[in-house]
Amino acid sequence: MLGLDTVGRYVELMKRTFSKPDNWKMFWRQLPKEMEKLGIDSIGIIVLISIFMGAIMTMQTVLNTENPLLPRYSTGLVLRDTMLLEFASSIMSLLLAGKVGSNIASEIGSMRITEQIDALEIMGVNSANYLILPKVIGLVLCMPLLVTFSVFCGLIGGTGVAYFTDLIPVADFIYGIQYAFIPYYFTYSIIKSLFFGFIIASISAFYGYYAYGGALNVGRASTNAVVNSSIVILLMNIVLTQLLLV
Amino acid sequence: MIEVKHLNKSFDGKQVLYDISATFRHGAVNQIIGKSGSGKTVLMKSIIGLFKAESGEVLYDGRNLLDMSKREIKLLRREVGMLFQGSALFDSMSVIENVMYPLQMFSDMSKIDVEKRAKFCLERVNLQTHAYHLMPGEISGGMQKRVAIARAISLNPKYLFCDEPNSGLDPVTSLVIDKLIEDITQEFNITTIINTHDMNSIMETGANIILINKGHKGWEGSKEGIFTDDNQALNDFVFASELYKKVKLANQK
């Protein structure tokens, strides 16, 4: 029953969030700020993690698939498809659930416990719409950019390993990256990231919006936001893979 | 004028307000007083509509809040200003942006006029100009209250609600804030309701006072009657302090 109650409150909040903004001008002013805070400011960590992820995956693939029957270019191919199909969208979304999700939940949660949300409501502002909608749309719009960066940086990481070590010739690795490329995999990755962006922003906002009490509960809301959005991302990953790939 | 008639409110089956009826006068500072946990904040939030009362009426110049649609409540809220206990300033905005926010949201004023109006409101609450572009976290508690008052009056409200406006302030600043609220109430002809348990504030500005005791209306009167009335709930509240006991004895002599 508790789960159903939570789902009900989440749906109710989303209904209020996706209503017409009280003032479009304020919405358009808020949207780029949220895109910068949630998306652009995450590029650094995405780049860093993707480069290392690509590098390590390349090393692991070379070391664990030493077989004369496997062509040497397969390492580049494996890295490219793994980054495209799973790592750039799903793993990066789990990472963003931690970084962006906790940020959203604690920001809105702090506003709740310091009565800033009540102040908005008293003014006649639809607080859910004003606070949550720009975050959801902002993150959803930034996700394709972040996924593209992640794929690109993962491949750079892998190329770096090929270039600076003698594990695999650079030419073979580059050939593997280009070999049998299926453009739909990129579309699939982008579609998944849009869903995951919505999940991260909306679930985190939900936990922040219904925070109560003091700082301890804001921390708890933040933890719940990260844990629950991660679980929903994992479940949604299976559903989307079944729908889009199988 | 705001009238409350037979208002009842409960949470999870536990009744918090019992059959409260009161009249809050136009152009005067009305106070809801009572001990902590007596139900005064619940009463104020029920009057504003942040809590939905189970039964009764909350009449804003004859318009019953409990019969209003969501849209009507939204429109009514634009006639309401509120000063929160912790000021509730938006901490992502500067002082002047906080005051400009309601104007940008709900008025058709140009950018220049919005800024002019915000500066007028900030000047009216005597805030020094150097603070206009500071963030709320960079100014004192007293200044935060002034900014919150400026924000509350920016849209020319008909009704002003103040939830414990003196909490966390020293006695001198408290008096300044009380005087400011009283002056603004008279100057802009607003119906002001203050929720407080600060005796200095009650004696300073209480033109119309309602005492809430364990969720019931315990007493109604003005500051002149505070020391002379024999109401038990009122005496328990007022003369909990030795100082006021002495004042009463001195008055009796």
Side-chain angles (χ1 to χ4, degrees):
Chain A
M1 286 306 285
L2 186 69
L4 272 180
D5 175 62
T6 307
V7 172
R9 284 193 304 147
Y10 171 78
V11 171
E12 185 64 31
L13 182 68
M14 286 305 110
K15 215 172 98 185
R16 285 185 60 209
T17 300
F18 287 92
S19 54
K20 191 177 151 222
D22 293 304
N23 186 326
W24 280 104
K25 213 165 73 183
M26 295 294 271
F27 170 77
W28 291 118
R29 191 181 297 174
Q30 204 65 16
L31 184 63
K33 284 184 192 167
E34 296 296 348
M35 285 175 76
E36 185 190 343
K37 194 170 64 183
L38 304 177
I40 310 297
D41 289 353
S42 301
I43 287 177
I45 188 82
I46 293 281
V47 165
L48 189 75
I49 291 181
S50 300
I51 287 176
F52 279 91
M53 213 155 58
I56 289 161
M57 255 171 53
T58 303
M59 292 162 97
Q60 294 279 16
T61 311
V62 172
L63 295 171
N64 291 294
T65 56
E66 275 184 31
N67 188 329
L69 293 175
L70 273 175
R72 283 196 295 189
Y73 65 75
S74 63
T75 303
L77 188 143
V78 166
L79 176 68
R80 182 201 70 203
D81 283 353
T82 315
M83 287 303 296
L84 269 177
L85 291 171
E86 210 49 46
F87 278 51
S89 51
S90 311
I91 304 296
M92 282 305 132
S93 295
L94 289 173
L95 176 90
L96 287 174
K99 184 192 177 285
V100 174
S102 61
N103 175 296
I104 292 173
S106 54
E107 182 189 322
I108 297 178
S110 301
M111 288 187 77
R112 167 63 75 195
I113 65 160
T114 55
E115 295 180 309
Q116 292 177 50
I117 292 180
D118 286 344
L120 285 169
E121 290 289 333
I122 290 295
M123 286 176 201
V125 177
N126 176 349
S127 60
N129 175 277
Y130 175 73
L131 293 173
I132 303 172
L133 189 64
K135 291 186 196 304
V136 173
I137 294 184
L139 187 60
V140 167
L141 289 177
C142 283
M143 284 304 274
L145 175 80
L146 297 175
V147 165
T148 310
F149 260 105
S150 177
V151 174
F152 188 66
C153 293
L155 298 180
I156 288 178
T159 312
V161 167
Y163 190 81
F164 291 110
T165 67
D166 54 1
L167 286 172
I168 178 173
V170 178
D172 285 343
F173 184 80
I174 300 287
Y175 179 75
I177 286 177
Q178 296 167 336
Y179 183 76
F181 175 62
I182 301 169
Y184 177 70
Y185 284 180
F186 185 69
T187 312
Y188 162 77
S189 196
I190 296 293
I191 292 171
K192 275 208 307 187
S193 73
L194 297 177
F195 277 91
F196 294 160
F198 175 80
I199 289 166
I200 294 167
S202 63
I203 291 181
S204 305
F206 167 75
Y207 280 101
Y209 196 83
Y210 288 111
Y212 61 93
L216 189 71
N217 287 321
V218 174
R220 197 167 290 154
S222 188
T223 307
N224 284 337
V226 175
V227 170
N228 289 300
S229 49
S230 300
I231 292 170
V232 177
I233 284 170
L234 293 171
L235 292 173
M236 203 63 191
N237 195 17
I238 292 178
V239 175
L240 288 171
T241 306
Q242 176 71 26
L243 287 174
L244 298 169
L245 275 189
V246 179
Chain B
M1 185 172 75
I2 297 174
E3 287 172 277
V4 173
K5 291 181 180 172
H6 309 293
L7 198 77
N8 289 287
K9 174 69 191 162
S10 59
F11 292 101
D12 299 325
K14 187 176 180 283
Q15 187 129 4
V16 179
L17 294 178
Y18 299 86
D19 197 36
I20 305 277
S21 294
T23 301
F24 301 99
R25 294 203 304 259
H26 183 67
V29 174
N30 303 273
Q31 289 181 331
I32 301 169
I33 65 170
K35 295 175 191 167
S36 296
S38 59
K40 53 189 193 303
T41 299
V42 175
L43 175 60
M44 180 177 263
K45 290 194 172 179
S46 300
I47 294 171
I48 306 164
L50 284 177
F51 293 151
K52 194 163 170 59
E54 272 90 45
S55 62
E57 291 179 4
V58 179
L59 302 166
Y60 282 79
D61 291 311
R63 298 167 292 169
N64 188 4
L65 176 82
L66 302 182
D67 289 341
M68 286 183 190
S69 64
K70 278 184 181 172
R71 187 176 155 69
E72 286 170 325
I73 290 175
K74 213 169 168 179
L75 290 173
L76 174 74
R77 293 254 170 91
R78 289 175 199 173
E79 299 173 14
V80 170
M82 181 153 184
L83 172 61
F84 285 87
Q85 196 173 349
S87 300
L89 296 177
F90 304 127
D91 43 23
S92 59
M93 298 179 194
S94 68
V95 161
I96 195 161
E97 283 168 348
N98 261 282
V99 183
M100 284 161 67
Y101 177 80
L103 298 163
Q104 289 168 327
M105 203 71 187
F106 298 117
S107 77
D108 298 326
M109 293 161 87
S110 68
K111 203 178 167 184
I112 295 166
D113 289 340
V114 164
E115 202 171 326
K116 258 189 204 166
R117 172 74 188 160
K119 281 182 178 166
F120 167 79
C121 294
L122 287 167
E123 275 165 26
R124 181 61 197 82
V125 298
N126 305 319
L127 196 86
Q128 298 97 317
T129 47
H130 75 82
Y132 288 8
H133 296 283
L134 296 176
M135 300 305 277
E138 296 171 326
I139 57 176
S140 67
M143 286 164 98
Q144 286 182 7
K145 297 276 181 186
R146 286 168 200 259
V147 178
I149 294 172
R151 184 178 70 182
I153 61 168
S154 63
L155 278 173
N156 274 324
K158 282 186 184 171
Y159 316 99
L160 179 65
F161 293 87
C162 307
D163 187 15
E164 303 200 12
N166 301 324
S167 77
L169 299 181
D170 64 82
V172 178
T173 313
S174 292
L175 284 176
V176 173
I177 296 293
D178 285 338
K179 186 83 180 72
L180 188 60
I181 293 171
E182 192 175 30
D183 289 349
I184 282 170
T185 300
Q186 285 160 5
E187 194 178 321
F188 298 108
N189 210 15
I190 302 170
T191 304
T192 297
I193 301 178
I194 297 180
N195 180 357
T196 187
H197 47 57
D198 181 282
M199 276 308 292
N200 290 336
S201 177
I202 294 165
M203 295 314 294
E204 195 67 29
T205 57
N208 177 33
I209 303 169
I210 286 128
L211 172 81
I212 301 296
N213 182 38
K214 294 174 186 166
H216 297 268
K217 187 170 94 174
W219 178 80
E220 187 170 1
S222 67
K223 61 184 175 189
E224 287 78 21
I226 286 271
F227 291 124
T228 52
D229 208 297
D230 285 334
N231 182 286
Q232 189 58 47
L234 177 71
N235 288 346
D236 287 347
F237 175 73
V238 175
F239 302 116
S241 153
E242 285 298 321
L243 174 70
Y244 287 105
K245 271 182 197 164
K246 284 175 190 165
V247 173
K248 187 177 187 180
L249 286 173
N251 279 352
Q252 282 169 347
K253 282 172 193 171

